[in-house]
Amino acid sequence: MSTQDRPAGWAGTPVTGAELTQRYQGAVMNTFGTPARVLARGEGSTVWDVDGNRYLDLLGGIAVNALGHAHPAIVEAVTTQLQTLGHVSNFFISEPQVRLAEKLLELLGHEGKVFFANSGAEANEAAFKASRRTGRTRIVSTEGSFHGRTMGALALTSKAQYREPFEPLPGEVTFVPYGDVAALEAAVDDTVAAFVVEPIQGEAGVIDAPEGYLAAAREITSRHGALLWVDEVQTGVGRTGDWFAHTASGVVPDLVTLAKGLGGGIPIGAMIALGDAATLLGPGNHGTTFGGNPVATAAALAVIDTIESEGLLAHATARGDQLAAGLGRHPRVSAVTGRGLLRGVVLTEPRAVDVQTAAYDAGLIVNAPTPDRLRLAPPLVLTEDEAAHAVATLSALLDEVLA
């Protein structure tokens, strides 16, 4: 499509996707391969590329865009805050930072302290350092885990292709099979500082923890004086239909890490320490220049306020159930995992990348984190009609691609 032929309502960027892709390859470091599309604008659950093509966004920037694209509440919060006070450093306090910390503790329902960072990896780095303040250095993580790509977070991440080019990593990390209580029991002793676990493993293809796993983890870690660290970077802030995925288990962890959906597209992460763990880090132990930035915390408050006022927790559950029921009936789907609007679609053949490619061409954005799984993490504002369209289009693609 030439620039002259683009339809009304497209993004308005005076270059084509091919042109920008070529410039990207010439100027941007190749750490991601070549991205599939050049996106220009978004509204709700829909995005458009620079060539005027429209897509239903079923990935939400990998579970980041909790309120979709260009949500008025975030636009207003960020604009107002930036016009008032944009950045102050951590030599000073700003009101949005304090209000967000209080709100997160209120949502968790327990006393504690919050450390703000800029991403999930940084939140996990903070938790990693907090665990060292126990006087112990061993950490137990899980096979299939993903906790980030900075050196400390990478040490906790199990995927060999991510880890091996950068070894040696911070040591004394033991990996146990996800969901295996006996293996966890064998790995945790009185030398372990913390067990870090995702309530649902997102990067592994949306793998659910077995019933009772988190409760068993709580009992085992408590018995040995180790911290229970729940990584909610992908699952937190309403993604699964609860504010936090672990709360359904009734477990109270020592450390909770958040990011992705918290800022609704504005970078922010948080490490929340509950109970006695709240005093592990003290002055000079850790820091960040941008963490708790007034603009980022104002955005996060807008996200939380909107989820509350618009009933998006129940909405996420309903739309997630709709996707699971619709896709779960397809003969090429062996299971639909996850909760709320974090779903794994398990295919009967290892051809998820082929389906992902076909989905782009059909106007859907999905992700293939493993050969046989699609990951869906659409905005929490996904409508019933959009969910129905997603089911119908993906079902047709499965018929076509896996025929």
Side-chain angles (χ1 to χ4, degrees):
M1 181 183 293
S2 71
T3 55
Q4 290 77 25
D5 295 332
R6 289 168 179 155
W10 77 286
T13 306
V15 293
T16 66
E19 291 165 354
L20 269 178
T21 298
Q22 186 176 32
R23 289 166 56 188
Y24 176 100
Q25 291 171 323
V28 179
M29 190 172 291
N30 185 23
T31 57
F32 300 102
T34 301
R37 295 292 189 275
V38 182
L39 301 183
R41 73 178 181 94
E43 181 177 341
S45 301
T46 301
V47 292
W48 287 261
D49 67 22
V50 296
D51 297 313
N53 299 304
R54 174 177 178 151
Y55 305 86
L56 179 60
D57 184 1
L58 297 177
L59 188 58
I62 314 182
V64 165
N65 296 312
L67 303 186
H69 301 271
H71 193 285
I74 296 180
V75 173
E76 180 180 357
V78 168
T79 303
T80 299
Q81 186 59 49
L82 195 55
Q83 290 174 334
T84 307
L85 189 67
H87 180 73
V88 297
S89 86
N90 287 301
F91 290 128
F92 306 99
I93 295 169
S94 68
E95 185 189 16
Q97 179 188 50
V98 177
R99 287 200 291 124
L100 180 60
E102 292 172 341
K103 187 64 182 179
L104 290 173
L105 292 170
E106 176 191 322
L107 294 176
L108 278 165
H110 301 282
E111 293 186 357
K113 303 287 185 185
V114 180
F115 175 85
F116 288 115
N118 305 298
S119 67
E122 289 182 60
N124 283 331
E125 292 284 344
F128 198 153
K129 288 182 71 174
S131 75
R132 290 289 178 99
R133 296 291 293 165
T134 63
R136 303 178 182 182
T137 53
R138 284 191 61 215
I139 291 185
V140 177
S141 184
T142 60
E143 295 175 1
S145 61
F146 183 83
H147 300 289
R149 296 183 193 241
T150 53
M151 293 297 273
L154 185 59
L156 310 169
T157 296
S158 74
K159 202 167 188 176
Q161 72 184 73
Y162 295 167
R163 296 168 48 84
E164 290 175 353
F166 304 100
E167 292 176 340
L169 297 166
E172 297 192 83
V173 179
T174 301
F175 292 95
V176 295
Y178 186 65
D180 187 332
V181 173
L184 182 63
E185 179 84 64
V188 176
D189 58 24
D190 290 354
T191 70
V192 169
F195 171 53
V196 54
V197 61
E198 299 156 280
I200 298 172
Q201 289 187 326
E203 182 78 5
V206 190
I207 308 291
D208 298 297
E211 184 75 24
Y213 184 56
L214 292 182
R218 176 71 284 180
E219 191 280 323
I220 293 168
T221 51
S222 295
R223 179 160 26 101
H224 292 285
L227 301 172
L228 177 60
W229 164 5
V230 178
D231 181 337
E232 294 258 17
V233 167
Q234 190 159 156
T235 53
V237 200
R239 173 57 50 190
T240 64
D242 292 306
W243 283 113
F244 309 97
H246 74 271
T247 51
S249 69
V251 162
V252 180
D254 302 293
L255 304 173
V256 180
T257 46
L258 298 175
K260 292 190 179 290
L262 183 57
I266 304 299
I268 184 171
M271 188 274 282
I272 308 170
L274 302 176
D276 293 341
T279 59
L280 285 170
L281 292 179
N285 287 155
H286 199 45
T288 166
T289 296
F290 294 103
N293 175 284
V295 177
T297 49
L301 284 166
V303 169
I304 292 171
D305 289 347
T306 303
I307 291 174
E308 285 185 321
S309 63
E310 296 187 3
L312 293 181
L313 295 182
H315 183 80
T317 297
R319 297 288 73 78
D321 289 348
Q322 181 184 355
L323 291 174
L327 294 170
R329 287 192 289 269
H330 196 281
R332 299 290 188 175
V333 174
S334 61
V336 179
T337 59
R339 280 185 276 150
L341 284 174
L342 180 61
R343 294 289 180 168
V345 181
V346 186
L347 307 180
T348 56
E349 299 177 48
R351 297 186 61 193
V353 171
D354 295 336
V355 176
Q356 173 186 278
T357 301
Y360 290 159
D361 293 338
L364 294 183
I365 294 178
V366 301
N367 169 241
T370 71
D372 67 343
R373 287 174 180 256
L374 298 173
R375 174 171 47 179
L376 307 182
L380 305 186
V381 297
L382 185 78
T383 68
E384 183 174 359
D385 286 347
E386 288 170 338
H389 173 71
V391 170
T393 306
L394 262 180
S395 296
L397 288 174
L398 294 174
D399 289 335
E400 177 185 331
V401 175
L402 304 183

